[in-house]
Amino acid sequence: MLCSSLNRSMERLTFPFLFLVLSILSPSDGGSIGVNYGRIANNLPSAVKVVQLLKSQNINRVKLYDSDPAVLKSLAGSGIKVTVDLPNQLLPSAAKTPSFALQWVRQNVAAYHPSTQIESIAVGNEVFVDPNNTTRFLVPAMKNIHQALVKFNLHSAIKVSSPIALSALQSSYPSSAGSFRPELIEPVFKPMLDFLRQTGSYLMVNAYPFFAYESNANDIPLDYALFRENPGVVDSRNGLRYFNLFDAQIDAVFAAMSALKYDDLEMVVTETGWPSKGDENEVGASLDNAAAYNGNLVRRILTGGGTPLRPKADLTVYLFALFNENKKNGPTSERNYGLFYPSEEKVYDVPFTVEDLKGYKDKRRSSSSPAAGGGRLSTPVSGNVSPSVAGQTWCVASGEAGKAKLQPALDYACGEGGADCHPIQPGSTCYDPNTLEAHASYAFNSYYQKKGRAIGTCYFGGTAYVVSQPPSAYSYHFSLAVLLLLLLFLLLHAHGMGPVISQRGTEE
């Protein structure tokens, strides 16, 4: 399937690393990372020190849960983009009284912008699960806040949205079946999505693969939840293959939006994270898993590529949270989502920038098999592979994708994708076997290796998947080359021209 010669086999062992470095060095190829700055604690550093910490880590986006004056003043002139929050308890006042919304914007936004680069306002947070039943006030409050921004001429610079939890979905599996809860569609989602479209804003979503894994550890492989290599999960409705739970959750929301005809709206992931410590029954909460989740997530976002359903949609993602917060209620995990201790020491090593990724490596300390407990995982479509080559992966075409999907994907890879497709042209070294699947596999793998085998670069609309062993054609061409060399050796040896063989069987 993947045409190879002896030289190409050597190139595959060395070039992927170089391409990985090149892909990491290009910040324009990916999304953006921010952090949530929560302050439910009594031992945190001052706001001034926090801003210094953010700058020292090159974190250029921060999301707040209020609009504290000390924090906003400290962020002035820092160049850090800020999201402020109108708390849930203020939603009724902001919805019922436009003058309240105007005054809130005057005191908490206009008074600081643009010195403090406020880029968005989160109106409430996970309002649908608020026990005070503030859902009916959400959209009117959003509209009044936006109108207040218009009066200050800030509506073009500052977006208005509201973070939703995944519990707002009626269905999330498979991802393509994602749908919003029926009772929320007409009264909330349609008017809210209309508002976002009219104002050029985006949907804010809080997504936590940890919760899904914790509740279904027997069915969801840990590697799938932590962005590690795994066979992937195929969406039975559209054939797309998912290699991490985060993408699957995000695409469930995209599918829910699409079902309501809002395919044009973008998304920002306002919260995601993994706890470094938990109670005994909080399966998966550990330092190693938190480090792997957040580190691999940052790599996946910054090195580019959208989701299988939205492959060109780079995401902005906010990690939760900046600090461990010792006054939060609930299980132990709630107080251990921090990337930093209050002392400003890192809880674990996590990259924040493209530059940081150069030295980052997922330090796997446990032997979690990709298929362990994976009842929902599918095996590779074509399993005819040769023995494993440690540390290497390939991108191959799915024989079940069909010509209607494979041909456009091949055209993209060889065209806009920039894959090296010269060897599969008529008369070239890798033209045979002359099949669409073989040519697509070559082109897909060229693109995949060129992008440094980055997560998200072997989708091609669900027509490709990653394998960790060389495809059968590689073995075929390699074996053929070895056979030809062996025949040449025998011919030379028969004519007395062969090399001298030592007693150890090696050439001298």
Side-chain angles (χ1 to χ4, degrees), residues 453-473:
R453 295 179 290 169
I455 295 173
T457 59
C458 186
Y459 287 133
F460 295 100
T463 64
Y465 60 94
V466 174
V467 294
S468 58
Q469 299 166 314
S472 56

Side-chain angles (χ1 to χ4, degrees), residues 47-48 50-52 54-56 58-62 71-82 114-118:
V48 171
V50 170
V51 173
Q52 291 173 350
L54 294 173
K55 293 178 70 175
S56 73
N58 294 307
I59 298 172
N60 59 14
R61 275 194 163 91
V62 65
V71 175
L72 292 177
K73 287 177 182 177
S74 297
L75 285 163
S78 66
I80 298 172
K81 296 179 180 179
V82 184
S115 180
T116 298
Q117 294 185 29
I118 299 173

